[in-house]
Amino acid sequence: MLTPLEGAVGIIVEVFHKYSSSKPPHDKLSKGELKCLIQKELGNLLLHPNDPDQLQEIFDDLDVNKDHKINFKEYMILATTLIMCVHEKFQNKETHHPHPPM
């Protein structure tokens, strides 16, 4: 039985492969595949997941090697950035609404 964290790691990998396998090369995301991934999997975390300018900016920021594809390492920049943002949001909520002392 996987721990929750092990399951989360597996899901992050599975989501990448789900969208990167639609057409060759199967280990990279095209701009269209990344757009689909963002809209279907991350629509609740981004303010404007359907905004073409925001999607283009995300793609350009992730495409570190400028090959017009997003490889797994570049995809992990997106995943890591989102995880850090969610963590900061939880920290800010705790700062404004701290847990009662035990």
Side-chain angles (χ1 to χ4, degrees), residues 9-10 35 40 42 45 54 67 73 85 87 90 93 96 99 101:
V9 169
K35 174 185 173 184
K40 292 183 179 179
L42 301 171
L45 290 179
Q54 184 182 35
D67 67 347
K73 286 183 180 181
C85 289
H87 172 72
F90 281 131
K93 282 184 180 180
H96 298 307
H99 297 287

Side-chain angles (χ1 to χ4, degrees), residues 9-23 25-29 33 37 70-72 75:
V9 169
I11 289 169
I12 289 170
V13 173
E14 286 175 12
V15 168
F16 176 81
H17 288 288
K18 175 181 175 181
Y19 291 92
S20 69
S21 65
S22 68
K23 57 186 172 187
H26 297 297
D27 62 340
K28 295 183 179 183
L29 295 165
E33 290 167 334
L37 183 155
I70 304 302
N71 63 36
F72 189 76
Y75 163 76

Side-chain angles (χ1 to χ4, degrees), residues 16-67:
F16 176 81
H17 288 288
K18 175 181 175 181
Y19 291 92
S20 69
S21 65
S22 68
K23 57 186 172 187
H26 297 297
D27 62 340
K28 295 183 179 183
L29 295 165
S30 67
K31 189 183 299 184
E33 290 167 334
L34 180 67
K35 174 185 173 184
C36 195
L37 183 155
I38 287 171
Q39 290 175 337
K40 292 183 179 179
E41 305 289 343
L42 301 171
N44 295 317
L45 290 179
L46 300 176
L47 290 177
H48 306 286
N50 297 312
D51 177 5
D53 292 334
Q54 184 182 35
L55 292 169
Q56 183 65 51
E57 184 177 342
I58 291 169
F59 187 87
D60 291 342
D61 287 347
L62 293 176
D63 187 17
V64 176
N65 63 5
K66 303 303 178 203
D67 67 347

